[in-house]
Amino acid sequence: MKGSFDPPGTSASSPRTVRRVLSFSLAAPIGLVSLILLIIGGVFLAVGQADYSDYTGRAEALVSAREQTTETRGTGDNKRTQTDIDVFVDYEAEGREFTSVKLNGLNPSSYNEGDELTVAYDPADPGDPVTAQSTEEGAFDLFLWLAVGMLAAGGIGALTALALVVIAARR
């Protein structure tokens, strides 16, 4: 039986229509997942290229504050909560005292108020400290490898979704 919107000579359950719907139904989620992988891969690529090789200065620092902010977005079932943790340190570098300076680099949120740690800084800009582990050779390599994998998977997925759309359009 023909549906009210089927063109003359076709059937809603014809193999051609089923294949077309199936192709589009597969292309949409594959395309969405691919887009997400490409975005995350791009972020990981940017993070993986962090270069703290100029951060040759070292100083003993004291965590003076740990601020946690929680932001809630959306409503009902779409409600999402995001928590950010900022860590601030006090230290002396290049003959100057720095107080309540935000700590950057790898895992700054793993430190609590009152903790002591070694920070690294660029002697030309001692007011921008990072965790000492951020300056180690290969500290961000994991992000680069994850970026390569996500970008490759996202690219393959995007090509697959595109192929499914083209196949469906030709039918």
Side-chain angles (χ1 to χ4, degrees):
M1 179 173 162
K2 290 185 184 178
S4 60
F5 297 104
D6 294 334
T10 64
S11 170
S13 61
S14 74
R16 184 177 189 177
T17 303
V18 170
R19 285 192 304 262
R20 178 177 280 177
V21 169
L22 183 60
S23 290
F24 279 124
S25 297
L26 287 173
I30 290 172
L32 180 63
V33 169
S34 298
L35 178 63
I36 292 168
L37 286 172
L38 290 170
I39 291 169
I40 294 172
V43 169
F44 278 18
L45 182 63
V47 170
Q49 292 179 350
D51 179 20
Y52 293 114
S53 59
D54 292 340
Y55 284 60
T56 56
R58 297 290 185 271
E60 292 306 310
L62 175 68
V63 176
S64 57
R66 177 185 166 100
E67 294 180 3
Q68 181 172 324
T69 56
T70 302
E71 185 177 324
T72 303
R73 293 184 181 168
T75 58
D77 291 340
N78 292 327
K79 194 175 197 178
R80 288 176 280 145
T81 302
Q82 178 179 344
T83 301
D84 289 321
I85 298 174
D86 292 324
V87 173
F88 298 88
V89 294
D90 299 341
Y91 62 100
E92 185 178 323
E94 306 299 314
R96 295 173 31 204
E97 295 230 2
F98 295 90
T99 57
S100 296
V101 179
K102 184 177 175 185
L103 180 63
N104 294 303
L106 288 175
N107 302 320
S109 62
S110 65
Y111 296 98
N112 294 304
E113 194 169 332
D115 287 351
E116 294 181 2
L117 70 143
T118 301
V119 295
Y121 61 89
D122 180 351
D125 184 16
D128 182 27
V130 298
T131 57
Q133 69 190 37
S134 302
T135 63
E136 295 173 5
E137 179 95 18
F140 291 91
D141 285 354
L142 175 62
F143 290 103
L144 286 176
W145 287 109
L146 288 171
V148 167
M150 289 183 174
L151 291 172
I156 291 168
L159 290 174
T160 302
L162 181 63
L164 286 169
V165 168
V166 168
I167 289 169
R170 287 187 175 177
R171 292 187 172 167

